[in-house]
Amino acid sequence: LEKSLGFMWGLQKKANMKKKILTRSDYDFFTSAETRWRDVDTLGHINHTVYLSLLETKHKDFIDHIYGETTYDLGLKSTAAGLLASMDVTYIKQVHHPVKLDIGCRITRVGSKSYDVHQGIFVEGENDPSFQTIHTFVMFNFVEQKSIPVHQVVIDNLRELEWLHYYHHQKS
């Protein structure tokens, strides 16, 4: 039982480390969006699904930023794209309409075929986010329907979080 509890404590510690809430200064790239009247739910705040929709729409701004272009193939014609494999979502505080939002992005982990992007949504002028996610993407060739190695441009834009870097090296 003690061994099992130790294992479970290790998993919980790992989960908590990944969920550290980042502040505005922790992000490398920002884009913005404005709320719309239709984003408000019956409780009077921005509906939880709107955040994910904003991130999906604004993720292309981040991709354009790191690749420095907007002429790559998208969808089923793509021979190299990040395919969303998982997301860890943390709702931190309510947001009310109307408001301008800043969306921060930062690549925090790169593996051989996958990478993590931390994303935070901030009310304009605030340093603490209202919402944060960690998206894990797998590099994927849609034409051949298989995973591929992560592009060098993704590796070049990696900026590990110090505490996460320390944690990974302590595990080794």
Side-chain angles (χ1 to χ4, degrees):
L1 179 64
E2 214 170 280
K3 191 174 182 179
S4 293
L5 289 175
F7 175 73
M8 288 171 48
W9 168 251
L11 289 178
Q12 183 62 42
K13 186 176 177 184
K14 181 179 179 183
N16 287 341
M17 293 184 91
K18 280 191 158 189
K19 286 192 176 187
K20 179 181 179 189
I21 304 303
L22 305 183
T23 61
R24 182 179 290 274
S25 63
D26 291 317
Y27 289 92
D28 297 330
F29 171 80
F30 281 91
T31 188
S32 63
E34 292 187 24
T35 59
R36 304 160 299 183
W37 177 249
R38 71 180 185 170
D39 297 337
V40 179
D41 65 16
T42 57
L43 298 174
H45 59 248
I46 302 302
N47 185 277
H48 66 281
T49 61
V50 170
Y51 297 106
L52 296 173
S53 178
L54 285 172
L55 291 178
E56 182 178 11
T57 300
K58 295 297 185 170
H59 184 71
K60 186 175 179 313
D61 294 348
F62 181 57
I63 296 301
D64 291 348
H65 169 73
I66 66 170
Y67 278 88
E69 59 182 272
T70 59
T71 58
Y72 41 81
D73 287 327
L74 296 173
L76 297 177
K77 294 179 182 178
S78 177
T79 57
L83 176 65
L84 182 62
S86 69
M87 69 177 92
D88 182 350
V89 176
T90 305
Y91 296 92
I92 301 162
K93 59 185 174 181
Q94 296 179 50
V95 174
H96 300 276
H97 175 75
V99 69
K100 184 175 179 187
L101 301 171
D102 296 325
I103 301 163
C105 301
R106 174 177 171 175
I107 298 171
T108 55
R109 184 199 60 84
V110 174
S112 60
K113 294 186 177 185
S114 67
Y115 60 98
D116 291 348
V117 177
H118 269 74
Q119 296 174 303
I121 297 181
F122 299 81
V123 169
E124 183 180 45
E126 292 186 7
N127 288 321
D128 295 321
S130 301
F131 175 88
Q132 178 179 283
T133 67
I134 305 169
H135 281 64
T136 298
F137 294 93
V138 173
M139 286 301 290
F140 200 76
N141 180 323
F142 284 89
V143 174
E144 296 180 14
Q145 289 293 297
K146 67 178 187 176
S147 61
I148 59 172
V150 171
H151 280 181
Q152 187 62 45
V153 70
V154 173
I155 297 166
D156 292 345
N157 281 277
L158 168 66
R159 191 164 65 92
E160 280 187 306
L161 299 168
E162 291 301 319
W163 54 269
L164 193 56
H165 177 77
Y166 175 79
Y167 173 74
H168 285 301
H169 289 288
Q170 291 298 315
K171 257 180 46 179
S172 303

